[in-house]
């Protein structure tokens, strides 16, 4: 089957057309600056990359232009749109309503809309993408794959905050967790790679990208994860603060004369590795900065790794053990120094890293030594392929 995978942001749309049998993407790309001016990037697997500076006033025009590009007689990858068998949408927040992927119908759209409050920037964009596809490809089945669904197996002791219970009852304030498609895909790969017994397995997934989260996956199910009601909680990230003392918000608001939304902007966009280093949110530049003796770059990397190691340690306690710790996403897949530094805190588990294997980038590889009691691995995540597979499983 050929599955179009769509990931809509508020002003962007990422897409891939995937052949589900081979798992290969026939084309990948993105639309940027939707509603501002517009830019469509188009990268066929067997052809040259093209950039179109088309006007993209809204998501419907963006989807329409993507469809026109992939079926273009000169540079397209399919002869006609009839070749698209299904569409898989990444939807950010499924609240407590969705604990798995679902085929989209009017009722599902209404239920996604009801979760808008929980992800006001993302869910409305996802719905716009769904509606655009419905208009342009009527009759083609569409599936919603939720970022939060995999973590719906968490027990209440893991998802409840120490707040008045009525906030949960009235507003559904609780931990949801994100990156679920990645945590699910990567934890399943680990179980396969290490031939673990799924029903007797304890895996910790470190999804370390610009956004970063860690999950505890016991017997194939998420039992805890570091992001919360929103993706701001947990690890120190590229530009997000992660966990802080909540009282800091009032303290800084008074000192700097900032509103709540201005404070939220600082915590989401100006904090984390970027805020601490004063340099960059990108670990390639942090690593370069450290080589040049930049002390705040060193501090940023140390805080990032220390926090990640503490979360891993807490999940060993949550599961009363661990078989494997796996690294994925931009930093987790590529930055051996970060992996080594995080693992250096975990020697008490009997985890030892093989430096030669750890030098590998972007490949599935076991990076622990053969005698290591706990295994450490790198598994590149592939959220689009996971969305494609979920879609095929539902529409077949
Ligand atoms: P993601 O959000 O998963 O796309 O990850 C993006 C982040 O991965 C970037 O901001 C970088 O910090 C990091 N990254 C990507 N490539 C490398 C690399 N070769 N070495 C270190 N960090 C990298």
């Amino acid at each position: 089957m050929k599955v179009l995978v769509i990931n809509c942001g508020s002003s962007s749309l990422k897409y891939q057309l995937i052949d589900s049998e081979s798992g290969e993407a026939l084309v990948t790309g993105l639309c940027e600056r939707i509603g501002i001016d517009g830019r469509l990037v188009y990268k066929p697997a067997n052809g040259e990359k093209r950039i179109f500076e088309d006007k993209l006033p809204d998501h419907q025009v963006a989807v329409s232009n993507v469809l026109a590009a992939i079926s273009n007689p000169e540079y397209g990858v399919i002869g006609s749109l009839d070749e698209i068998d299904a569409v898989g949408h990444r939807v950010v927040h499924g609240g407590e309503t969705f604990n798995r992927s679902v085929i989209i119908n009017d009722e599902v759209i209404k239920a996604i809309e009801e979760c808008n409050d929980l992800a006001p920037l993302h869910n409305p964009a996802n719905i716009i993408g769904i509606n655009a596809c419905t208009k342009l490809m009527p009759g083609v089945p569409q599936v919603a794959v939720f970022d939060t669904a995999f973590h719906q197996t968490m027990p209440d002791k893991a998802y409840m905050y120490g707040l008045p219970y009525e906030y949960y009852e009235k507003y559904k304030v609780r931990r949801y967790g994100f990156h679920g498609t990645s945590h699910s895909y990567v934890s399943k790969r680990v179980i396969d790679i290490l031939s673990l017994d799924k029903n007797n397995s304890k895996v910790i997934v470190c999804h370390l990208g610009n956004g970063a989260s860690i999950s505890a996956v016991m017997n194939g199910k998420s039992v805890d994860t570091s992001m919360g009601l929103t993706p701001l909680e947990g690890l120190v990230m590229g530009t997000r603060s992660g966990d802080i003392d909540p009282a800091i918000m009032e303290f800084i608001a008074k000192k700097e004369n900032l509103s709540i939304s201005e404070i939220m902007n600082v915590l989401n966009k100006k904090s984390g590795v970027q805020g601490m280093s004063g340099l960059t949110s990108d670990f390639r530049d942090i690593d370069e900065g450290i080589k040049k003796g930049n002390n705040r770059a060193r501090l940023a990397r140390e805080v990032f790794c220390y926090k990640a190691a503490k979360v891993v340690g807490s999940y060993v306690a949550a599961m009363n053990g661990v078989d494997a710790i796996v690294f994925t996403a931009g930093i987790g897949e590529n930055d051996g120094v970060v992996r080594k530094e995080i693992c250096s805190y975990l020697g008490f588990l009997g985890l030892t890293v093989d430096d030669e294997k750890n030098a590998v980038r972007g490949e599935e590889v076991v990076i622990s030594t053969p005698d290591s009691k706990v295994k450490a691995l790198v598994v590149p995540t592939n959220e689009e392929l996971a969305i494609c597979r979920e879609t095929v499983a539902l529409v077949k």
Side-chain angles (χ1 to χ4, degrees):
M1 287 175 83
K2 290 195 178 87
V3 178
L4 181 63
V5 174
I6 300 256
N7 180 355
C8 272
S10 52
S11 67
S12 69
L13 182 159
K14 292 189 203 144
Y15 64 92
Q16 288 196 7
L17 184 67
I18 300 179
D19 178 336
S20 67
E21 273 86 54
S22 67
E24 298 296 324
L26 306 173
V27 60
T28 65
L30 89 156
C31 299
E32 294 174 293
R33 300 177 62 82
I34 300 171
I36 306 165
D37 38 29
R39 184 167 186 268
L40 192 160
V41 180
Y42 176 83
K43 287 190 271 187
N46 301 314
E48 72 187 74
K49 174 175 164 182
R50 288 166 194 262
I51 295 176
F52 305 98
E53 306 284 347
D54 304 348
K55 280 214 163 19
L56 301 174
D58 55 43
H59 285 74
Q60 190 167 321
V61 176
V63 174
S64 169
N65 289 14
V66 167
L67 295 178
I70 63 181
S71 59
N72 183 284
E74 185 199 336
Y75 50 79
V77 291
I78 49 174
S80 98
L81 295 183
D82 296 342
E83 290 181 40
I84 299 176
D85 298 296
V87 184
H89 292 270
R90 173 186 180 229
V91 178
V92 167
H93 220 305
E96 288 189 323
T97 314
F98 297 102
N99 60 7
R100 56 172 62 91
S101 306
V102 287
I103 295 197
I104 296 171
N105 55 29
D106 289 347
E107 214 176 293
V108 166
I109 293 179
K110 202 164 153 265
I112 296 173
E113 273 168 353
E114 281 164 11
C115 300
N116 279 2
D117 251 8
L118 295 168
L121 293 181
H122 289 94
N123 272 27
N126 298 147
I127 292 168
I128 291 170
I130 291 167
N131 288 336
C133 289
T134 310
K135 276 217 176 99
L136 296 162
M137 289 179 279
V140 175
Q142 300 189 67
V143 168
V145 180
F146 299 91
D147 246 25
T148 48
F150 181 61
H151 301 300
Q152 277 297 303
T153 46
M154 281 188 288
D156 52 6
K157 68 181 174 189
Y159 69 68
M160 282 308 290
Y161 290 117
L163 289 169
Y165 194 77
E166 68 196 73
Y167 296 157
Y168 171 62
E169 290 179 309
K170 284 201 279 192
Y171 312 120
K172 296 284 172 218
V173 172
R174 51 159 282 181
R175 174 183 313 288
Y176 290 95
F178 297 87
H179 296 137
T181 315
S182 175
H183 287 288
S184 165
Y185 173 84
V186 169
S187 58
K188 284 192 182 82
R189 284 297 306 140
V190 171
I191 288 168
D192 282 352
I193 294 166
L194 297 178
S195 304
L196 298 177
D197 171 6
K198 182 186 163 197
N199 297 320
N200 189 18
S201 60
K202 295 172 178 174
V203 177
I204 295 176
V205 180
C206 304
H207 177 111
L208 307 179
N210 198 32
S213 67
I214 299 185
S215 67
V217 183
M218 194 160 161
N219 306 334
K221 292 187 173 143
S222 173
V223 292
D224 208 341
T225 191
S226 58
M227 283 179 168
L229 174 77
T230 76
L232 184 54
E233 192 184 345
L235 304 178
V236 171
M237 308 182 212
T239 62
R240 294 189 195 123
S241 63
D243 298 338
I244 58 166
D245 177 346
I248 293 172
M249 297 174 71
E250 189 196 21
F251 185 84
I252 296 296
K254 281 187 179 154
K255 294 275 182 205
E256 298 266 322
N257 197 21
L258 297 177
S259 65
I260 288 186
S261 68
E262 285 167 329
I263 286 279
M264 293 312 293
N265 190 47
V266 171
L267 297 181
N268 273 302
K269 304 221 169 108
K270 297 183 179 166
S271 300
V273 169
Q274 162 97 56
M276 281 186 294
S277 68
L279 202 64
T280 171
S281 62
D282 193 309
F283 264 77
R284 284 164 288 204
D285 303 330
I286 290 289
D287 292 343
E288 272 311 300
I290 295 171
K291 279 188 200 140
K292 289 186 187 139
N294 185 313
N295 195 41
R296 276 170 58 188
R298 173 207 53 82
L299 176 67
R301 189 169 74 193
E302 275 185 19
V303 173
F304 179 89
C305 294
Y306 180 62
K307 174 73 190 182
K310 285 203 296 185
V311 173
V312 171
S314 71
Y315 289 170
V316 176
M319 297 194 289
N320 199 3
V322 62
D323 299 311
I325 297 163
V326 53
F327 295 93
T328 193
I331 302 161
E333 290 166 28
N334 293 299
D335 199 322
V337 180
V338 166
R339 290 194 298 257
K340 174 96 181 173
E341 194 164 324
I342 294 172
C343 290
S344 72
Y345 291 99
L346 305 169
F348 73 97
L349 295 171
L351 170 63
T352 45
V353 171
D354 179 325
D355 288 337
E356 223 168 273
K357 294 204 179 117
N358 187 40
V360 171
R361 274 188 31 203
E363 274 178 42
E364 281 188 355
V365 59
V366 177
I367 58 167
S368 48
T369 57
D371 60 346
S372 182
K373 281 202 191 114
V374 171
K375 303 291 170 214
L377 301 87
V378 174
V379 172
T381 191
N382 193 337
E383 289 172 279
E384 287 76 18
L385 182 58
I387 292 172
C388 166
R389 291 204 172 127
E390 293 270 315
T391 304
V392 171
L394 281 170
V395 302
K396 239 183 179 169

